[in-house]
Amino acid sequence: MHAQRDERLSARNISISAKGNDSVPRMKLGCVLLFASAAACGGGNSGGMDAAPGADAGIDAGVDAVVDGALTPDADPLADTDGDGVLDTVDLCPTVADPAQVDLDGDHIGWMCDNVESTTIAYTGTIGYSQLAARGNTIGGALSYEWVSGAWAYHAFSVGPAGVSRAEGEMDTWLRGRPSRAFVGAENQVVWSMLDGVVGTLDAGTDTFTTHHTDTLLWGPAEDIVTRYERGDLLVLSGQAQDSLTQSFKLLAPQAGGDVVAIATSSQAFVSPTIVGTNPARLVFGVADTAQRSLREFVAGSGTSQPIEVGGTPLANADAVLALSRAYNEMFGFCVDQGGKRYIVETSHAELRAYELPVSTCSVQVQLADDPQATLLTHTEGAFLVRNGVVQALALEGALEALGAGLPAVVTKWTPPTYEVYVVDAAGTVHAVTSDGVSSKVSRQGDTLHFISFHQGSHSVVRFRNGVITQAALPAIPQNQGEVWEVFTTKEGAALVSTNVRAAVWPSQASVATPVDFDHINALVRGDATLFVASHNDVRSQPALYSYAEVGGVPQYTPLTPEVLQNVAFTMSVAPLGYSVPGDSSGGPETNWFIFGKSGECRLAWPKVTGTTVTLMDERPCGGGAVIRGVTPTGATVVGMGGSASFPELYLLDGTTFTKVVVANTIQLLYAAPGSSLVLGWEGRDVAGDRYICSAAHPTQCWTPPANEARAWGPGATADVLHALFDHNTTTAKVFTSIRTFGQGNRPQPLL
């Protein structure tokens, strides 16, 4: 296969880019051209990069030095620092093991330690499409071009630590299957889904293609045909048969050795495949096929899936496998009906929990699932509190609804014409409330809970604390005025209660609620501070940001922004620094930072509490808004800012320290995998319109990429590496460029 390919590389001008001195003697190693001289590991300018890339050279033309350091004159000529079998005197990466000595662009810096490498494929005619994949130290790609005699010509390649493989449609028969989608399954292994139904791997080390499946399961170039489940070492691919009278579904898992194993097959679509945990990550999924209905798990690194066991009972040969949802249709887990029993498997938190639930059907409602330690489930046959997989039946039954996001929680039961109201505490004890129903959200801080109750035409605030329920009456409000009572629980355990025009406070140790001189109160707790926005009940009063505290049980309201009396109206708001994270609407851990605004102007700050005094710390503008977008491999929080009137900005937040890393026309975050909140880097156009790409682990390391955005990216083989792959056209060639976080980059950060 190598000999044929060497001839084709010359005949069709499909070549590995070489930027070195052609007079230097060369030797063959697989498909790779090597420079057999001391210049291969020394000399040149280790910091320079040509600003204008050539078609065949890629963007790092002119770099002719080993990144890891040149050899000293008295170095041991027989030394092999990285133990890869290649002496340091000729090793393209002396400190990184790379026995194949891959050097795509011929700059004398090996693939395994070069921050930028390019390779070029010449073509004629029109490109049909190209597919790319990047993960670890391996990339793969294919393109179709030149419509000849009713068929496209194809070229495919893979590059990894073990070598380089290239193939063309005329000579490599496997390419006649038409490459459709690429995935890096393991180092040196690129998994290809072919249009003719074949699934196989192109091995960079052995320069071979191996067919693994021929059942038309991963079909078509469209992005939504193949679903990829990936986290850390876990990678599972799924697809559906096309143009077939018999549906067939299969989950495929690439293996480290290059194989692609089927971990499950079914005649029906799999039930809600969900990734759970990280060490190791596992894929939990239901098989709906009547002949093998089950709930199974696949653990990263294994070669097959197994039925999940509950108390020694494997969930196989089930009568039903149903997905259960949390609020807002978020995935919670599964209910399995098997052998006359019902089993619940929770997947909404990092650890998988499974248990038997004593009900007769899987008509289970997930009422409370935000607390990772506790779940509240209801059924017409009863209510159940589950703590760490231990089921506790509650003294409740019927049509129940839980209110709140944690324990204690409020549970209501419809008993026409009113509701019965209860509080369920963390121990599972049920407390009855004298009430006809709940007319507000439930507000909880620590062990104190408040809500608005209506009973016999009157409203009151209900407080639950330490197993005791107390109530405070609220002033009557005019009918048909659109006023609705809302309540907020302060850090001290007090209740701030308001409508749109009036307010009251129930101090933490008082027995009555007292009217206060504010209108609608919008509040939050951050750190040890209670903060709220409100106006005085004066037509000339403008809203301000206040802190709440108690001194000797007496409420104190301290303005943190100016209180102004004048006839110029404006609005203010206060909100936590929230999350916008792929695949995880709960975001992540709460920060002490919050946003407050005046007529759309955004300000960020965090509160410092000294005694009862609150001071706004590190206050700063945040454009038209701010949101948490993810986390970097080093653990820093990624915060996006900006608005319609300003350039978007990106910051890294470490505790209370904001570091600006991007100000640009456009910013696209590069997440580690679909549904992942791990940010590997970002790319876009700077304020001058020039493209950039930067590393999240090393945000000062930025590069000028080719004239298009990254086509594929993924985590490198180490935690702090971003691996991005680009392609762009010249008049006669397709240039593929790989950028990784080695070196310092070739351009400044995109900052104003």
Side-chain angles (χ1 to χ4, degrees):
M1 189 170 182
H2 287 296
Q4 294 176 342
R5 181 162 293 102
D6 289 341
E7 294 177 2
R8 292 196 311 257
L9 291 177
S10 174
R12 291 192 44 87
N13 191 30
I14 299 178
S15 63
I16 299 173
S17 300
K19 304 193 298 285
N21 185 345
D22 286 342
S23 65
V24 178
R26 306 185 183 200
M27 63 180 178
K28 289 278 188 182
L29 181 60
C31 295
V32 185
L33 298 176
L34 301 181
F35 292 81
S37 75
C41 60
N45 179 4
S46 63
M49 289 191 184
D50 290 351
D56 291 332
I59 68 172
D60 62 335
V63 183
D64 293 318
V66 173
V67 173
D68 300 294
L71 296 174
T72 59
D74 58 348
D76 182 357
L78 299 180
D80 178 11
T81 301
D82 54 18
D84 59 6
V86 182
L87 298 182
D88 289 348
T89 52
V90 293
D91 198 335
L92 298 179
C93 291
T95 62
V96 180
D98 59 336
Q101 295 287 281
V102 177
D103 182 14
L104 289 180
D105 48 24
D107 64 354
H108 309 181
I109 305 174
W111 166 256
M112 291 293 289
C113 60
D114 198 348
N115 60 314
V116 182
E117 288 233 26
S118 291
T119 187
T120 302
I121 298 175
Y123 67 91
T124 58
T126 302
I127 293 179
Y129 66 86
S130 61
Q131 291 290 332
L132 300 174
R135 189 168 179 244
N137 290 310
T138 298
I139 65 171
L143 73 152
S144 65
Y145 60 94
E146 191 181 17
W147 186 262
V148 177
S149 301
W152 287 102
Y154 288 88
H155 183 98
F157 65 92
S158 63
V159 183
V164 180
S165 178
R166 293 179 182 264
E168 290 181 83
E170 296 92 330
M171 301 297 295
D172 292 270
T173 57
W174 71 270
L175 280 180
R176 298 172 190 171
R178 298 169 295 166
S180 171
R181 294 291 306 280
F183 308 90
V184 175
E187 291 288 33
N188 306 300
Q189 308 290 336
V190 179
V191 179
W192 280 104
S193 169
M194 314 293 286
L195 290 179
D196 68 352
V198 165
V199 176
T201 54
L202 181 60
D203 189 315
T206 62
D207 193 22
T208 57
F209 180 84
T210 303
T211 297
H212 299 290
H213 300 274
T214 57
D215 39 17
T216 323
L217 286 167
L218 302 179
W219 185 93
E223 290 294 324
D224 59 354
I225 295 297
V226 180
T227 303
R228 168 170 132 240
Y229 304 96
E230 181 179 346
R231 180 181 295 171
D233 293 333
L234 175 72
L235 176 64
V236 177
L237 311 173
S238 72
Q240 176 182 349
Q242 304 292 317
D243 302 325
S244 173
L245 297 178
T246 303
Q247 285 191 326
S248 180
F249 301 84
K250 186 173 289 188
L251 293 177
L252 301 177
Q255 303 293 289
D259 196 6
V260 179
V261 299
I263 63 171
T265 57
S266 176
S267 62
Q268 300 182 43
F270 295 101
V271 180
S272 301
T274 306
I275 300 178
V276 182
T278 55
N279 292 311
R282 64 184 71 193
L283 185 72
V284 177
F285 58 93
V287 178
D289 191 322
T290 56
Q292 51 177 339
R293 191 177 289 120
S294 59
L295 187 66
R296 307 179 70 84
E297 64 175 338
F298 172 75
V299 179
S302 63
T304 184
S305 62
Q306 302 290 338
I308 291 175
E309 291 192 4
V310 182
T313 300
L315 299 183
N317 302 315
D319 298 308
V321 178
L322 304 174
L324 298 179
S325 297
R326 306 165 64 183
Y328 312 110
N329 293 320
E330 297 173 9
M331 185 64 187
F332 165 75
F334 301 85
C335 181
V336 178
D337 188 332
Q338 177 177 306
K341 297 180 179 181
R342 263 54 55 188
Y343 300 94
I344 303 297
V345 177
E346 299 185 16
T347 61
S348 59
H349 297 293
E351 294 184 5
L352 184 148
R353 292 196 292 260
Y355 45 87
E356 181 185 346
L357 197 68
V359 292
S360 62
T361 68
C362 269
S363 298
V364 177
Q365 300 297 316
V366 181
Q367 297 287 351
L368 185 67
D370 291 331
D371 185 341
Q373 305 302 322
T375 301
L376 184 62
L377 303 172
T378 61
H379 193 276
T380 56
E381 299 167 4
F384 305 89
L385 179 64
V386 184
R387 296 186 64 84
N388 295 318
V390 178
V391 180
Q392 177 182 354
L394 303 180
L396 293 170
E397 62 180 18
L400 305 173
E401 181 180 5
L403 307 174
L407 294 174
V410 176
V411 176
T412 64
K413 177 181 179 181
W414 175 236
T415 54
T418 62
Y419 288 88
E420 296 176 9
V421 181
Y422 305 90
V423 175
V424 177
D425 64 22
T429 305
V430 177
H431 306 263
V433 182
T434 302
S435 174
D436 296 330
V438 177
S439 62
S440 72
K441 294 181 179 179
V442 172
S443 177
R444 179 177 63 90
Q445 292 293 330
D447 63 352
T448 301
L449 173 150
H450 290 103
F451 64 92
I452 305 297
S453 166
F454 61 88
H455 179 60
Q456 297 180 355
S458 299
H459 286 83
S460 64
V461 186
V462 177
R463 173 179 291 166
F464 178 84
R465 181 190 293 147
N466 297 328
V468 178
I469 293 175
T470 53
Q471 296 186 223
L474 291 172
I477 57 177
Q479 297 294 317
N480 303 319
Q481 297 297 311
E483 291 188 55
V484 178
W485 287 110
E486 291 291 340
V487 64
F488 179 81
T489 303
T490 73
K491 183 70 175 181
E492 299 77 9
L496 297 176
V497 192
S498 69
T499 70
N500 59 323
V501 295
R502 71 190 74 228
V505 63
W506 185 9
S508 61
Q509 303 303 318
S511 59
V512 296
T514 305
V516 290
D517 184 28
F518 288 112
D519 57 16
H520 182 248
I521 294 175
N522 182 17
L524 58 78
V525 169
R526 274 298 173 267
D528 291 325
T530 299
L531 308 159
F532 69 91
V533 168
S535 302
H536 287 295
N537 280 315
D538 185 308
V539 294
R540 299 169 300 159
S541 176
Q542 295 178 346
L545 176 67
Y546 296 84
S547 65
Y548 176 91
E550 294 181 7
V551 178
V554 179
Q556 309 290 313
Y557 312 96
T558 304
L560 303 178
T561 60
E563 295 179 289
V564 182
L565 289 176
Q566 63 182 34
N567 293 316
V568 178
F570 64 82
T571 60
M572 283 194 72
S573 61
V574 63
L577 177 59
Y579 289 79
S580 175
V581 178
D584 184 6
S585 64
S586 63
E590 186 177 277
T591 73
N592 287 342
W593 289 86
F594 70 97
I595 299 169
F596 65 98
K598 169 185 174 182
S599 296
E601 178 188 0
C602 178
R603 307 288 295 180
L604 262 174
W606 64 275
K608 179 180 179 181
V609 180
T610 305
T612 58
T613 300
V614 175
T615 305
L616 297 185
M617 303 298 293
D618 298 325
E619 183 181 338
R620 64 185 61 236
C622 45
V627 67
I628 295 175
R629 302 290 304 278
V631 64
T632 71
T634 57
T637 301
V638 181
V639 178
M641 299 186 195
S644 58
S646 61
F647 290 116
E649 301 177 351
L650 211 61
Y651 291 78
L652 297 185
L653 173 59
D654 185 2
T656 59
T657 301
F658 269 97
T659 303
K660 184 186 293 186
V661 291
V662 180
V663 181
N665 276 319
T666 61
I667 301 173
Q668 177 185 347
L669 295 182
L670 307 178
Y671 291 98
S676 171
S677 61
L678 179 62
V679 178
L680 301 177
W682 38 82
E683 67 169 355
R685 290 187 180 274
D686 61 22
V687 294
D690 298 323
R691 288 205 168 273
Y692 67 89
I693 183 171
C694 304
S695 161
H698 307 284
T700 61
Q701 295 180 3
C702 301
W703 292 269
T704 301
N708 62 344
E709 62 188 21
R711 284 284 310 278
W713 64 86
T718 59
D720 63 348
V721 174
L722 161 68
H723 195 160
L725 192 59
F726 300 80
D727 68 355
H728 65 283
N729 299 332
T730 70
T731 57
T732 59
K734 191 83 162 178
V735 181
F736 297 90
T737 302
S738 169
I739 292 179
R740 294 191 287 182
T741 52
F742 294 106
Q744 296 300 314
N746 70 342
R747 60 154 290 158
Q749 288 175 268
L751 294 173
L752 290 175

